[in-house]
Amino acid sequence: MTATTTAPAPTPAPPLRRRRRSYRALQPGPGGTVLRYVLLAVASVATLFPFYAMVVLSLKPAAAVEFPGSLLPWPIEFDAYATVLDSRNILRWLLNTTIYSVVSVVAVLLLAAMAGYAFAKKRFPGRETMFWSFLAMVMVPYHVTLIPTFILIAKVGGVDTYWGLILPTLANAQAVFLMRQFIQGLPDELFEAATIDGASEWRMFVRIVLPLCKPILATLGVFVFLWHWNDLLWPLIIGQSGDMRTLTVGIASLQQEQVPLNVMLAGSVVAFVPIFAAYLVGQRYFTEGVTMSGIKG
């Protein structure tokens, strides 16, 4: 007779009460919860205090700053904002910064999405070599390429022009990498079905890739907008006349002109408002894009 072996019985799942007990054991006690909230409150105050000081001091009269009295929210005067908004230079700098940021965001997102789609879903000779060679640009310090880029732009007449300001910033290796990683996660069946239906490459890109990439596009859009809006070095070099300055360059130049502190801070508040508004507009997609990127690893 042959011995028969029986499979071991499956281990029963732990009772619900035991699982609840183990989950509660992982939660911090009352002291740990209080400490966590205290640390979060301290971090929040430390983060928000510079913005509070900037706004409050911009609403003060043009006088010597005295601490802590100058940080009290009274008295309030709007003379500094009236001076900023009446200045032709500030409005011109705001227009230059808006053009530089908005056009760059649209162009960078479009080029990065197209390149990411090609690197993720298309098969062509040298694809991996080309992608990793392009990604190697991230390891090259920005300041190393600054002078050669300026020489090239100057030779073709791009100094003191909008296109000379925008064009060198469009090749964004980080944006291409993120778009490629995100598009790689899209199911190939969508593109195969579209190909069977006779859709062109451009139609697949517009109807499939761009709608599904809204979260990562919003996330990249916020980061690219912040980078261009706060950019100082390249606009300082390429914009050699006062009419081609951006807000960051213009506000930095005010320090050399004996401008009152409240006027300078009022200009900083004016420069900060569009950044904050851009984040509020894309907050939902921004959070979704960060979450999905974290889930994908």
Side-chain angles (χ1 to χ4, degrees):
M1 296 179 61
T2 58
T4 58
T5 58
T6 58
T11 305
L16 183 59
R17 290 182 181 178
R18 190 183 305 171
R19 278 183 287 176
R20 285 180 179 175
R21 265 192 239 118
S22 60
Y23 174 72
R24 289 173 185 171
L26 295 176
Q27 292 183 333
T33 303
V34 171
L35 179 61
R36 177 169 49 181
Y37 282 114
V38 169
L39 292 177
L40 289 174
V42 171
S44 301
V45 171
T47 303
L48 295 176
F49 178 76
F51 298 99
Y52 169 80
M54 178 178 67
V55 174
V56 169
L57 293 177
S58 68
L59 296 172
K60 295 292 183 177
V65 177
E66 298 179 357
F67 293 102
S70 297
L71 295 178
L72 299 177
W74 60 79
I76 293 178
E77 295 184 5
F78 294 93
D79 296 340
Y81 288 91
T83 303
V84 167
L85 297 178
D86 289 340
S87 173
R88 187 187 73 86
N89 290 335
I90 291 289
L91 296 179
R92 176 70 184 187
W93 299 342
L94 182 61
L95 175 64
N96 293 341
T97 309
T98 303
I99 294 174
Y100 176 47
S101 303
V102 173
V103 175
S104 297
V105 167
V106 174
V108 167
L109 292 184
L110 178 61
L111 294 175
M114 295 172 68
Y117 171 56
F119 284 128
K121 296 299 181 181
K122 297 299 156 187
R123 302 291 183 268
F124 53 89
R127 184 188 66 168
E128 294 299 322
T129 303
M130 187 183 302
F131 172 72
W132 292 109
S133 298
F134 182 69
L135 192 62
M137 293 172 52
V138 179
M139 296 184 291
V140 180
Y142 172 65
H143 305 83
V144 173
T145 61
L146 198 60
I147 296 177
T149 303
F150 175 78
I151 294 174
L152 290 174
I153 295 298
K155 285 186 176 181
V156 295
V159 177
D160 251 6
T161 62
Y162 285 119
W163 70 265
L165 180 66
I166 295 170
L167 186 62
T169 65
L170 300 185
N172 194 315
Q174 296 96 326
V176 173
F177 174 75
L178 289 176
M179 290 302 304
R180 185 244 192 186
Q181 296 302 107
F182 190 89
I183 295 174
Q184 269 188 335
L186 301 181
D188 294 333
E189 290 78 7
L190 290 174
F191 301 96
E192 293 173 358
T195 303
I196 294 173
D197 290 341
S200 62
E201 292 292 344
W202 179 253
R203 188 179 182 87
M204 284 191 289
F205 176 74
V206 173
R207 295 296 182 88
I208 297 177
V209 176
L210 290 183
L212 294 177
C213 290
K214 281 183 181 179
I216 192 64
L217 287 174
T219 305
L220 277 175
V222 172
F223 282 123
V224 174
F225 183 83
L226 289 176
W227 177 51
H228 284 83
W229 190 271
N230 294 324
D231 194 11
L232 174 66
L233 195 54
W234 178 246
L236 176 64
I237 293 174
I238 202 69
Q240 298 185 355
S241 66
D243 288 339
M244 282 303 298
R245 289 177 178 174
T246 58
L247 268 175
T248 50
V249 177
I251 292 174
S253 67
L254 294 178
Q255 298 179 357
Q256 304 174 359
E257 301 177 7
Q258 303 298 323
V259 175
L261 178 63
N262 60 339
V263 175
M264 225 164 75
L265 292 178
S268 300
V269 173
V270 171
F272 169 73
V273 168
I275 299 176
F276 188 64
Y279 175 75
L280 290 180
V281 170
Q283 181 182 13
R284 180 169 66 90
Y285 290 112
F286 177 80
T287 307
E288 185 179 350
V290 172
T291 304
M292 294 178 69
S293 300
I295 291 175
K296 288 185 178 185

